[in-house]
Amino acid sequence: MLNQPIDDRYHYGVIARALTLIDAEGGTAMPLEDLAARLSMSPAHFQRIFSRWVGVSPKRYQQYLTIDLARRLLAERHTLLDTAAESGLSGTGRLHDLFLRWEAMSPGDYARAGDGLTISYGWFPSPFGEVLAMGTERGLCGMAFTAETGREAAMADLSARWPRARLIEAPEAIAPWITAAFAQAGEARLHLIGAPFQIKVWEALMTIPSGHVTTYSDIAGAIGNPRAVRAVGTAVGRNPVSWLIPCHRAIQKSGGLGGYHWGLPVKRAMLAWETARAEADGAA
């Protein structure tokens, strides 16, 4: 399980490279010996590290990285958002296994494009490659995965959302929230900075349980705009806080993955990782 210190960069680096190699095979399983050799490790040592971080063996994980993953999730783990809301997952209470708190910026503050805000940022490891994280004194306001886009594009993307904010490199200011985000322990805080419609969509995303998916049309219905599927898709794509606001759990009604702002390989890896952990926890 992912409950180790965030600064264990060696293990995070191994897992990030392993996920990239597995994903590059497009659903074709790699023998454990081949995968370990590509990482210059013994099969036994690699399997121990991989199972420690992902929660399942490399062989089992690869079963979730098939091209029909989204269709299987839609058939087996499709969440209707009204049901999720009734179970108490929505609102400003604790979400995501009771470790996440959030608040939204007022529309007036959003219109000022971050004027008067100081945003700290830093680069952190994760199971899905490097993350650029940004946060105000109230909580995380941005998380971007750089494996597909690169550092420069990720920084340009997030900083352009709040052009009048003051950005300072201060990873220590947000590190505890990042630790909580990936370890699912402690408390992660979010400061949602977006337009009112976007925040409604992001609220809906946060009601989707880990290991499950919903559709863009379901989200549109849940926020009271059943015909606004295209606008919902745009708002999902503009989510600045990947992972904690789980836009990767929104897929097309047809069973297609849809898009992902930080690259479809990252989205597929996230869905497979969460599905594997959910099923492993269920079996336990």
Side-chain angles (χ1 to χ4, degrees), residues 11-162:
H11 288 140
Y12 272 112
V14 169
I15 296 307
R17 282 156 44 214
L19 298 184
T20 299
L21 290 171
I22 291 172
D23 185 75
E25 295 299 308
T28 301
M30 290 183 68
L32 175 64
E33 292 76 11
D34 293 350
L35 188 55
R38 296 276 293 276
L39 296 166
S40 302
M41 302 174 69
S42 72
H45 183 50
F46 170 67
Q47 175 139 327
R48 283 196 300 273
I49 290 177
F50 193 97
S51 299
R52 176 187 177 192
W53 288 103
V54 182
V56 296
S57 69
K59 180 178 179 179
R60 184 64 172 162
Y61 182 83
Q62 289 182 78
Q63 294 174 3
Y64 297 98
L65 278 176
T66 57
I67 57 175
D68 65 344
L69 171 66
R71 291 181 178 85
R72 288 200 293 122
L73 286 174
L74 195 59
E76 300 170 7
R77 293 177 174 271
H78 178 200
T79 293
L80 297 175
L81 295 184
D82 54 353
T83 302
E86 289 171 5
S87 68
L89 292 172
S90 62
T92 57
R94 286 179 173 266
L95 303 169
H96 295 216
D97 299 327
L98 308 181
F99 80 92
L100 178 63
R101 287 189 182 275
W102 65 271
E103 63 176 294
M105 174 174 277
S106 71
D109 287 338
Y110 170 69
R112 287 191 283 275
D115 189 28
L117 276 182
T118 295
I119 296 179
S120 301
Y121 73 88
W123 308 91
F124 299 88
S126 89
F128 313 106
E130 185 181 58
V131 173
L132 167 63
M134 294 186 175
T136 70
E137 62 181 7
R138 299 182 187 179
L140 295 169
C141 62
M143 287 177 66
F145 291 88
T146 67
E148 298 295 315
T149 64
R151 276 192 171 195
E152 185 176 346
M155 174 62 79
D157 188 302
L158 287 188
S159 59
R161 298 169 188 248
W162 317 291

Side-chain angles (χ1 to χ4, degrees), residues 152-240:
E152 185 176 346
M155 174 62 79
D157 188 302
L158 287 188
S159 59
R161 298 169 188 248
W162 317 291
R164 298 180 184 174
R166 174 175 172 255
L167 297 181
I168 59 171
E169 186 167 10
E172 67 282 355
I174 55 179
W177 295 327
I178 292 296
T179 299
F182 290 112
Q184 296 189 356
E187 182 176 81
R189 291 184 177 270
L190 287 183
H191 188 193
L192 306 189
I193 304 176
F197 180 83
Q198 292 175 325
I199 289 175
K200 282 186 178 181
V201 171
W202 301 342
E203 288 175 1
L205 288 170
M206 287 191 290
T207 69
I208 309 170
S210 179
H212 292 70
V213 295
T214 196
T215 66
Y216 299 105
S217 56
D218 283 337
I219 296 172
I223 65 172
N225 289 276
R227 296 184 178 180
V229 177
R230 181 170 295 182
V232 163
T234 299
V236 169
R238 291 294 294 169
N239 164 35

